[in-house]
Amino acid sequence: MTDLCCDLQIHINGQQTFFLNQLTLFLKISIAQQEIVSAYSGKIKKMIKKERPNSAQIEILSIALEDFPGGGDGFELVSRFCYNNGRIPITIPTVSTLYCAAIFLGMTDKLSNCNLLQQAESFLEGMFYWGWVDLLVCLKSCEIFFSFADSSGLIDKLITTLLAKIAQNSDISLLCSSNSSSSPSSPDNANVKPSSNRRRSRLSSSSASNHSGANNNSGSSNNNNSNNKAWWFDDLGTLCPMMIEKVLRSLGALGSENNSLLLTKFLLHYLKTHKACSNYSKSEYRGLADTAVYGVILMGKTAFSCRALFWVLRLVSGFGISKVCRTGLERLIGSMLDFAKLDDLLVSGGQNFDGVYDVNLVVRLIRVFVQCEGISIQRLQKVGWLIDQYLAEISPDHNLKISKFIAVAQSLPDFARDCFDGVYRAIDIYLESHPTLSFDERSRLCGCLNYEKLSLESCKDLAKNPRIPPRVAVQALASQKNANYDETLTTTNQLDYYYESPSKSKGNDNKQIVIYGSDNYEQVVAHHEEEDQDEEEEENDQEQSSFSEESEDHIRLNIQRMQWRVLELEKLCREMKGQMTKLVKHNKAINSPRNNRPPRLC
């Protein structure tokens, strides 16, 4: 370093240091060497003047430039401009860097007629004639120094030209209005794919004309996607999230102002492609995710199916949307819950949840659905069947808390289920997967059941289930018995044969009809006093005319069922008596002495 002639050191953004004039042999004095750069830069000229000592001794000056546009690569281009007598080839990839660097360093016509700012501005004036790809390349080069390029107005110029290119080759009204014929019914349709390359080839520059034939050949195979008008989706998808926000702000469609279905589709497509991107933090996508959700909420059921809405929820949840947007999206999904499938409800809980699935989300969706106005019983029962499936699916999760299971099971009213067999199966799976539950917890879990709506098979299985508390089993059997008894009485009340006016009674002879209950038989005795023979014949005629075939079949079926129940109970009693006999014999054998002794004589 001591052999090199260097009179100026410039530190760029604390990362790189440039030693200027170190190989310049044609210069004779140090002051002239320092003026090579300062002759074109007003900012460096002021900094050198401030740092230069008053003495005539040769000094090495050190200058630090922070937040320089383009970093070390950008300053290298500026140095080449200065050392080449104010001339440098300007290209599309470098014009944005040179333009912003010229503004940063004050390289204007006040110092030199051959200044960098004027040359860069002259090059940018022809951007309207650039190709589509050229505009994207220039925009991407601004991402490194986005804040400075934005404040200088360069990004606004580029985006305006970009939107003009889109308007030339598509309906620009679709970007600013919500009226669209496209209605995605699935996640694949919700994410619009790029369409024909034939349209894209018209936007390319003249330098890309050699490739237009290949684009035209491939465009014919993609005409099926032309209805989505999304030929620019993939191209804009390469830009950073700050640039996309700038595009939306230029269209007046950022945040809650988004009323365009096409922009909503683009944002969903953009978020999907950037879901696994690690170049930017998730918080930088939050504004775009909220904008997409506002568009989805505005379009509602007319543009998105229930399955597509669940897909949107999964997608935007990874970017941390606002509470307002999440509430609005859940309210929209909850109103369509009867169209959901089991796979839709299985939303991953993530690291911040206890359990594999987000159970709290399902509880919130059910509450929204139940609170909707005009919900028919058929729709409620459809959701009830779906929730029973969901309970059976989440029950094996060892991290699922009992409070969350009960919250899901009890989130629907009783009339939403015709049968509680599905809830019982889910409870049985949960008890099997959580063997350490206490007696009170198991009893609390069984409180979700409506015993009267259990089928006979489920009630019998519940009574034999060792994981079910005995008290619960007794309550279930008692409820089953009362339900059958009430059904029997209801059927009996329909028969006038068992009920007769006391004014017609004339005797003491009685008739008895025996009806068997569920666990034991009960006798329902109907007393009928004798009447005159004429009155009996008249009564019999009335009875025969009042009975329909349907009621007789129902009575016969009910009696047969109860008789089968009695046979089952008798069989169970015989088994219990056999066990008691064995137990008594066993006790006698234990209490008897080992050696047989003669009886004691008095």
Side-chain angles (χ1 to χ4, degrees), residues 16 39 127 132 165 196 279 289 306 320 359 372 405 549 587 590 596:
Q16 288 179 297
M127 71 170 61
W132 172 260
K165 294 290 183 182
S196 176
N279 296 332
C306 184
V359 179
C372 290
F405 183 96
E549 293 182 359
N587 292 335
I590 293 176
N596 294 328

Side-chain angles (χ1 to χ4, degrees), residues 1 4-12 17-24 27 30 33-38 44 48 59-61 63 65 75-76 78-80 82-83:
M1 293 293 296
L4 298 176
C5 180
C6 173
D7 63 345
L8 181 61
Q9 297 180 5
I10 299 182
H11 305 279
I12 303 298
T17 302
F18 285 83
F19 299 91
L20 301 182
N21 304 326
Q22 53 187 351
L23 297 177
T24 309
L27 296 175
S30 174
Q33 293 173 355
Q34 295 174 358
E35 289 178 352
I36 292 178
V37 178
S38 62
I44 293 181
I48 291 177
E59 296 286 344
I60 299 178
L61 300 182
I63 298 175
L65 296 177
F75 191 79
E76 183 178 353
V78 173
S79 302
R80 291 180 180 180
C82 295
Y83 279 85

Side-chain angles (χ1 to χ4, degrees), residues 22 35 83 110 212 282 289-290 293 330 365 398 486 562:
Q22 53 187 351
E35 289 178 352
Y83 279 85
K110 294 182 180 179
S212 61
K282 297 297 183 182
D290 286 349
V293 173
E330 290 180 0
L365 295 178
H398 295 281
D486 293 340
M562 287 185 286

Side-chain angles (χ1 to χ4, degrees), residues 491 548-560:
T491 306
S548 64
E549 293 182 359
E550 183 178 358
S551 61
E552 291 178 356
D553 293 340
H554 181 71
I555 297 169
R556 190 181 302 108
L557 221 95
N558 188 25
I559 294 175
Q560 288 179 356

Side-chain angles (χ1 to χ4, degrees), residues 15-204:
Q15 298 176 349
Q16 288 179 297
T17 302
F18 285 83
F19 299 91
L20 301 182
N21 304 326
Q22 53 187 351
L23 297 177
T24 309
L25 301 178
F26 60 88
L27 296 175
K28 296 182 178 180
I29 59 175
S30 174
I31 300 299
Q33 293 173 355
Q34 295 174 358
E35 289 178 352
I36 292 178
V37 178
S38 62
Y40 297 98
S41 173
K43 185 172 185 176
I44 293 181
K45 185 175 182 179
K46 291 180 181 179
M47 297 178 71
I48 291 177
K49 185 177 181 180
K50 183 178 180 181
E51 297 292 336
R52 181 187 296 169
N54 296 326
S55 61
Q57 297 178 355
I58 299 176
E59 296 286 344
I60 299 178
L61 300 182
S62 180
I63 298 175
L65 296 177
E66 299 295 336
D67 300 326
F68 185 81
D73 295 336
F75 191 79
E76 183 178 353
L77 292 174
V78 173
S79 302
R80 291 180 180 180
F81 173 82
C82 295
Y83 279 85
N84 198 26
N85 296 326
R87 293 189 300 272
I88 188 174
I90 299 178
T91 62
I92 289 177
T94 61
V95 63
S96 59
T97 304
L98 292 173
Y99 177 80
C100 294
I103 296 177
F104 185 87
L105 295 175
M107 304 177 74
T108 62
D109 54 358
K110 294 182 180 179
L111 298 177
S112 174
N113 293 329
C114 187
N115 62 86
L116 182 59
L117 181 60
Q118 184 178 2
Q119 295 181 31
E121 286 179 342
S122 299
F123 189 88
L124 289 172
E125 287 177 357
M127 71 170 61
F128 188 78
Y129 302 101
W130 294 357
W132 172 260
V133 178
D134 298 334
L135 284 170
L136 291 174
V137 170
C138 192
L139 272 173
K140 282 194 67 67
S141 64
C142 296
E143 293 179 355
I144 305 175
F145 44 91
F146 177 82
S147 299
F148 192 89
D150 188 20
S151 61
S152 66
L154 176 59
I155 292 182
D156 288 332
K157 296 177 182 178
L158 292 171
I159 289 178
T160 301
T161 308
L162 190 75
L163 294 177
K165 294 290 183 182
I166 296 177
Q168 289 176 358
N169 296 272
S170 61
D171 189 0
I172 192 64
S173 63
L174 294 176
L175 295 175
C176 305
S177 65
S178 59
N179 296 327
S180 177
S181 60
S182 179
S183 300
S185 59
S186 66
D188 295 333
N189 292 332
N191 302 304
V192 183
K193 299 179 180 179
S195 63
S196 176
N197 289 333
R198 182 181 303 163
R199 198 180 273 176
R200 183 172 170 182
S201 64
R202 296 202 300 264
L203 297 174
S204 60

Side-chain angles (χ1 to χ4, degrees), residues 437-505:
L437 291 179
S438 64
F439 180 84
D440 293 337
E441 288 176 331
R442 286 182 289 154
S443 300
R444 181 185 166 197
L445 193 64
C446 294
C448 303
L449 295 173
N450 185 343
Y451 306 124
E452 295 181 356
K453 289 189 176 183
L454 284 174
S455 65
L456 178 61
E457 291 75 13
S458 297
C459 193
K460 289 165 59 177
D461 185 78
L462 183 146
K464 300 176 184 178
N465 196 334
R467 292 181 289 271
I468 300 296
R471 183 176 59 189
V472 173
V474 171
Q475 292 177 355
L477 292 174
S479 300
Q480 190 77 199
K481 170 185 173 181
N482 293 335
N484 291 331
Y485 181 69
D486 293 340
E487 183 180 358
T488 303
L489 287 183
T490 303
T491 306
T492 307
N493 289 335
Q494 296 176 356
L495 307 178
D496 294 336
Y497 178 80
Y498 302 106
Y499 294 93
E500 193 170 343
S501 174
S503 61
K504 298 180 181 181
S505 60

Side-chain angles (χ1 to χ4, degrees), residues 497-498 509-515 523-528:
Y497 178 80
Y498 302 106
D509 294 340
N510 299 329
K511 297 180 181 179
Q512 293 185 351
I513 294 180
V514 179
I515 299 179
Q523 294 184 353
V524 180
V525 181
H527 297 277
H528 301 274

